[in-house]
Structures are given as structure tokens and as C-alpha cells.
Amino acid sequence: MSLYQIISGPMVWTSFLLFIAGTIFQIIKLYPFIKQSTTRLNAISYSSVNREKTTTANNKKIFTKKLFRHLPDFNSLIYKFAMLKYSLFGRYPLTIFVTTLFHLLLIFSPFMVLGHNILFESALGVSFPSLSSEFSTILTFIIILCCLYFLIRRLTVPLVKSITTSSDYIMLAIAAAPFLTGFMAHHQIFNYTVMLHLHILSGEIMLISIPFTKFIHMIYFIITRVVLMNNGLRIKELKI
Amino acid sequence: MTSNHSILFEQDEPSSEQKDLVEISKKVCVEEINAILKEKKHQIATALKVCAHCTLCADSCFLYRSKEKVAEHMPSHKFITSIGVIYKKKGKVTMEELYEMRETLWKRCVLCTRCSCPLGINIPELLAIGRRILRSQGVYHSYSEN
Ligand code: SF4
Ligand code: SF4
């Protein structure tokens, strides 16, 4: 068996299995915490929802009666648009734009590359709609640019530097490697075979590292943000 | 008599710095810290794992926005340098370190629960756990100085 056959055969399956098993393991590990937090937070959510109802109603009444009678309804689009500047996007427009773009492309673009879809088709019998080669190249290039933005931000902004550890750079490298090597292999920069091997290997490394490293925020994000609704509640409260 | 007593009392009362020096020489009870860490393991471990060091929580802290915009006032910096350090060292911290953390946990945070993290980390809860650990070792902010 050649090196190519090993890394594109059994190793792909192993990394997918490790990814799925690791994800399930991590969710099960967190289950007691989810249970404990949801029951505890339910109490908070009731009180905060009630508080929101009463205070919002009161505030609106007082405001509209006394001061801003001539202003449009507080729930109107104009009000919501004005509140945008207090949102995370309003505070850090560039970073939020880059992060959103980066995360969406990171998750969805690998499924839309023609080469990957041919492999999916032959291995599983299913495939996703593919993008043209030029468009995939542009998307890959955008991801690399986003990674560069993160790197420059980590290296130059003092606030980010203050909590950056070496693991952050390693994470960034692991995330960027499959795209960089894929880009180089596709355009035959350097040596095609070497780049293809590196592309497959780095993809596998990334997949395996998702449940076991800081990449776990991919999975835990859903739990901490949506299931625990901790932050969602606070955002609601902020609108009072 | 009473005035004499009060004078004596004032003279005997050590200054806060002297008190701190006496306190720093005390030993940290690792078992006590570990008992709290064990109880709150999931909260702390999950937060430290999930935190992407993105600094987007900085602007949500009113202290960060109203004081000098230094890293020490950023919510994630506060929990990483306090409870994060205690957790990573498995409770084996020195009194000196705990006294440094006291500054972070009491003077740079009022536990107003305003800060929010886009990934859903409950930062005030972590800081409260940090305060609890420090209090268990007799380290807390004293309001009697002025
Ligand atoms: S606490 Fe949240 S917002 Fe703050 S640095 Fe960590 S992940 Fe980012
Ligand atoms: S709880 Fe502490 S860190 Fe959070 S906003 Fe209030 S003062 Fe800042």
C-alpha cells in the first residue's frame, strides 16, 4: 500500500470516526452540566422574562408619555436600526464580518469543492452541488485572507496579545493548513504530489482535533449559546 | 480610660500592608481549593476550552469602557488570569498569587453580570467562583480601610 493509499483510505475513515466518537463523548461528558444549568437557568429565565415584560412596558409608557411622544414606536425598524450600534456588529464591524465569513466558509466550502464531491460520490454514493473551480479558488483565497487577518490581529492588537497563548497560533495554523495546501495543490505551486499529501493529512489532523482541542467551540458553542441560552437571555435583558 | 484604650487600639492596629504581609506568609490549603474546583469543574473546564481568545467581550464590561481601556479590565483577561490559573495549577497556588488575583476579582470587577460573550460563556459566574476560592483561603477585599 502506498502512502497516498493509506492517507486517502483508512486514515480518512479513522479521522471521521474519531471526530464523530469524540464529539459524542464530549457531549455526554457535558450532559450533567447541561442538566444542572438548564434547571437552574430556567428559574432565572422566568424571572428575567417577567422583569423584561414589566419594565419594558413601564419604560415605554414613561418614555412615550413624557419625552419622546413624537418619536416612532420603540419596536419599529428605525429603533432597531439605531440599536445596531450597540450590538457586537456595531462595536466591532470588521472583526465580526471577517469572523462570520470565515466560519461559514470554513464549514461549508469543503462540501462544495468538485474534487471532494467526486470522493463523496465514490465512497458514500452521495454528493453535494459543486462550485466552479474558479469560484472555489476565490473562496479558498478569502479563507486564507481571513486567517491572515486573525494572525495580524493576534500579533499587533495589544488587547488580543494579552490573552494569546501559543495554542492560539497552533489552532490558526491547523485551520489554515488544509486551505493553503489545497490552494497550492490546485494551482500546482511547489510540488503537486507533496502538496496533495499535505492537504489530505492536514485535513485529517483538523478533523481529529475538533473534539479534543480549542476547536471544541464548534460543538460547545451550540450548547453554551443555544441550549444554555445564557447569553441570549442577557441580550434580551439589555434591550429593556 | 476609653480614650486611652482607643489610642492603644489605634497604635496596635497594623496597617493594611503589614496585615497583607502577615497573611501572605500563611499557607494555602490546596485540598479546600480543589474541593471547590471539583464542584465547579464543568463550568470552569468548559469555559476555558470554549474561550477562543477573541476579545469580543471587552466592550461589554462597563469598567473596561469607562476606565482606561487596558487588558486587565477585559472580562476574559480577568477570568483567565484568576480562576484559569488556579484551575490549570490544580489549586497549587501561592498566597502571593491569590493576593494578586484579589485585585482582579474585587477591584476590577463588581459582578454586575453585564458582560457577555458571543460564545455564551458565563463570565460573572467564573469570577464569582474565583472569589469563593479566594475567600476560602481568607483572602478578600476589605472595605474598612477608609
Ligand atoms: S470570553 Fe468569549 S468573548 Fe471573551 S475572549 Fe473568550 S470567547 Fe471571546
Ligand atoms: S461582571 Fe465584572 S467583568 Fe462583567 S461587566 Fe460587570 S464588572 Fe465587568
Side-chain angles (χ1 to χ4, degrees), chain A residues 88 154 163 214 217, chain B residues 47-48 50-58 60 74-77 79-80 116-123 126:
Chain A
L88 213 49
R154 283 224 177 278
I163 50 170
K214 254 190 191 301
H217 70 253
Chain B
L48 291 176
V50 170
C51 179
H53 296 173
C54 65
T55 73
L56 293 177
C57 51
S60 66
M74 175 169 62
S76 55
H77 190 273
F79 81 74
I80 291 168
S116 60
C117 157
L119 294 185
I121 297 173
N122 192 342
I123 303 166
L126 293 165

Side-chain angles (χ1 to χ4, degrees), chain A residues 70-124:
Chain A
H70 54 286
L71 276 186
D73 180 35
F74 275 90
N75 280 333
S76 72
L77 266 179
I78 300 170
Y79 175 66
K80 280 192 177 142
F81 194 70
M83 289 307 276
L84 195 69
K85 81 165 189 261
Y86 299 111
S87 70
L88 213 49
F89 180 73
R91 295 266 162 80
Y92 307 98
L94 184 63
T95 307
I96 296 294
F97 177 74
V98 173
T99 337
T100 314
L101 193 70
F102 170 74
H103 284 90
L104 285 177
L105 290 181
L106 187 78
I107 294 168
F108 295 111
S109 70
F111 293 106
M112 297 192 277
V113 175
L114 184 65
H116 292 177
N117 272 329
I118 295 170
L119 292 175
F120 280 134
E121 184 73 53
S122 65
L124 304 166

